[in-house]
Amino acid sequence: MVFYTWGKEVMADKFDPGFGQNIQWDIDLLEGYAYTWVNNVAKQPGSHHFKGIDNPSLVPELKSWQPDALLIFGWNFKSHLAVMRYFHNKVPIFFRGDSTLLDRHNGVKEFVKKIILKWVYHHVDKALYVGDENRKYFKYAGLQDDQLLFAPHAVDNVRFRFDGEARQKIRNSLQIRGNEIVFLFAGKLEPKKDPALLIQAFINLQEGNVHLIIAGNGVLESSLKKEYEGNPRIHFLLFQNQTEMPGLYSACDIFVLPSKGPGETWGLSVNEAMACGRPVIVSNKCGGASNLVRDGKNGFIFESGKQKDLLQKMEYFLHNRNSLGRMGNMSFTIVNEFSYQRICDVLEKLMNNSH
């Protein structure tokens, strides 16, 4: 049973501050499993602040359902932390999160934060870590090796398979010829994603046979369009919903995630692009980079904020076009190990061992 804590209104059009507009996913998120909506009494409902998830009835509802174990996603919400505290030592508590230490700074604040994290995670029996950087975070927060299980961050890999027809349709609509290389950024146009760095690096490419697609909306949208929309090789697309994303990844040749953080915990768009068989260029501030990107094999990791480093990685593909297929195939192979099935296998093993 899934207990949804945001409230049923999450399924209606809701304002996403990152995209700067109302968002409603166009794929079914509720079919095939049991779930219930828990009433959220927060004055400002949302997952962007601690008091945004406030469900006074959650603990009573869970007690009534009598779970054998609890899997909690994220602790930094009022109700989730309350559940962890109430059920600690009553039923096994499994935890799922994707935080990293990539933005950590030394100092008094960090010292206090570590104390708080150790207190929080002493309520957890087992943690499912999504990748290497997340595992380091859990260790930092006081969890031991025997409490940690690898359950990789994943997307529906099958849904993002390459679509040749969609590729041609999108490229034709943007007047991109078949032999021209296309770089893609898809996501929120916000400072932590650093799309401006990618655009600046792209402009410095010493090749005219290349295009850049920027897909998404956000706070940087107007300024980026004002400065670069006149460039015939840079194409701005609005927010693309879930059913449109496989075609968009198919339309590109290389996917780039230039995030500088803070707070880029993983970067699931990299999984999506790899499932489509695309090479990737990812900054070292993305939590998934160390697991998903094998330098020179399926793409490159560059140092965040360093335009020259990013430019060199992009230029590689212009001078080594024959590597696109090989690297794309390697991406596809790697990401198949990051699957929903792997997560399910770990959960099944956990449940069997908890009885």
Side-chain angles (χ1 to χ4, degrees):
M1 174 69 80
V2 178
F3 292 79
Y4 281 114
T5 54
W6 187 321
K8 194 171 185 178
E9 62 272 18
V10 74
M11 294 305 296
D13 280 1
K14 71 176 190 299
F15 184 78
D16 186 304
F19 283 117
Q21 65 182 48
N22 284 355
I23 299 296
Q24 184 173 18
W25 300 121
D26 62 355
I27 58 173
D28 193 330
L29 303 174
L30 299 173
E31 185 181 355
Y33 63 94
Y35 63 90
T36 186
W37 302 107
V38 187
N39 186 39
N40 184 8
V41 302
K43 291 181 179 179
Q44 292 182 308
S47 57
H48 58 291
H49 64 122
F50 181 75
K51 293 182 179 179
I53 305 293
D54 187 357
N55 319 97
S57 67
L58 181 56
V59 168
E61 286 186 46
L62 287 169
K63 285 172 65 179
S64 176
W65 198 73
Q66 298 182 327
D68 296 302
L70 290 169
L71 172 59
I72 299 173
F73 288 79
W75 66 265
N76 196 22
F77 309 116
K78 183 178 179 180
S79 292
H80 292 207
L81 186 57
V83 167
M84 291 167 66
R85 295 182 66 187
Y86 180 85
F87 285 97
H88 179 51
N89 289 332
K90 293 183 176 73
V91 299
I93 293 179
F94 309 144
F95 185 84
R96 177 78 161 173
D98 58 6
S99 297
T100 73
L101 301 175
L102 292 174
D103 302 313
R104 184 167 67 92
H105 302 287
N106 293 322
V108 175
K109 277 189 176 180
E110 193 63 39
F111 177 75
V112 173
K113 181 181 176 182
K114 186 173 184 178
I115 292 173
I116 294 171
L117 288 177
K118 287 196 172 188
W119 174 79
V120 168
Y121 285 106
H122 96 275
H123 297 93
V124 171
D125 294 297
K126 303 283 185 181
L128 311 180
Y129 67 93
V130 302
D132 294 342
E133 299 299 333
N134 183 217
R135 188 180 192 281
K136 293 174 187 175
Y137 166 85
F138 282 134
K139 291 279 287 181
Y140 175 81
L143 293 175
Q144 304 301 309
D145 289 334
D146 61 358
Q147 293 179 279
L148 301 175
L149 296 97
F150 179 47
H153 239 331
V155 299
D156 184 354
N157 290 332
V158 173
R159 192 164 66 80
F160 289 96
R161 294 285 163 85
F162 178 78
D163 185 337
E165 185 177 336
R167 173 184 170 88
Q168 201 57 52
K169 183 179 178 181
I170 292 172
R171 289 171 73 104
N172 286 346
S173 71
L174 299 175
Q175 298 183 321
I176 298 171
R177 294 192 296 270
N179 66 330
E180 294 180 313
I181 289 180
V182 176
F183 293 92
L184 168 68
F185 168 87
K188 297 175 180 177
L189 301 182
E190 58 185 356
K192 82 171 185 179
K193 300 284 187 183
D194 210 4
L197 182 79
L198 171 58
I199 296 175
Q200 290 156 9
F202 173 80
I203 288 174
N204 286 322
L205 287 173
Q206 300 302 309
E207 167 105 28
N209 229 25
V210 62
H211 292 256
L212 172 64
I213 297 175
I214 301 288
N217 300 91
V219 295
L220 298 178
E221 181 181 355
S222 58
S223 61
L224 292 176
K225 285 183 175 179
K226 183 178 180 181
E227 190 165 357
Y228 301 110
E229 203 165 26
N231 189 316
R233 297 189 294 124
I234 299 176
H235 311 275
F236 286 93
L237 301 180
L238 299 177
F239 166 81
Q240 305 289 298
N241 217 316
Q242 287 295 289
T243 57
E244 299 162 317
M245 288 305 298
L248 185 61
Y249 290 121
S250 300
C252 82
D253 298 293
I254 305 103
F255 178 74
V256 186
L257 185 58
S259 301
K260 64 181 178 182
E264 186 64 277
T265 52
W266 181 266
L268 280 169
S269 55
V270 180
N271 293 62
E272 295 171 354
M274 289 172 60
C276 189
R278 305 294 90 177
V280 293
I281 302 175
V282 182
S283 88
N284 61 349
K285 284 291 187 177
C286 298
S290 59
N291 286 94
L292 294 173
V293 187
R294 298 176 190 171
D295 245 23
K297 302 293 185 183
N298 73 309
F300 299 99
I301 299 172
F302 77 96
E303 188 175 353
S304 70
K306 302 293 185 182
Q307 185 191 140
K308 185 178 179 181
D309 192 14
L310 173 57
L311 177 62
Q312 289 174 345
K313 305 304 194 274
M314 295 173 74
E315 284 177 335
Y316 173 87
F317 291 102
L318 304 187
H319 304 313
N320 298 274
R321 289 177 177 237
N322 60 349
S323 70
L324 289 169
R326 171 178 57 81
M327 285 196 175
N329 289 336
M330 180 57 72
S331 279
F332 183 80
T333 299
I334 293 169
V335 85
N336 278 333
E337 295 299 312
F338 291 75
S339 67
Y340 288 159
Q341 187 60 52
R342 288 280 301 273
I343 302 171
C344 292
D345 290 345
V346 170
L347 285 172
E348 186 175 13
K349 182 179 178 181
L350 258 182
M351 288 303 297
N352 288 336
N353 291 343
S354 67
H355 292 293

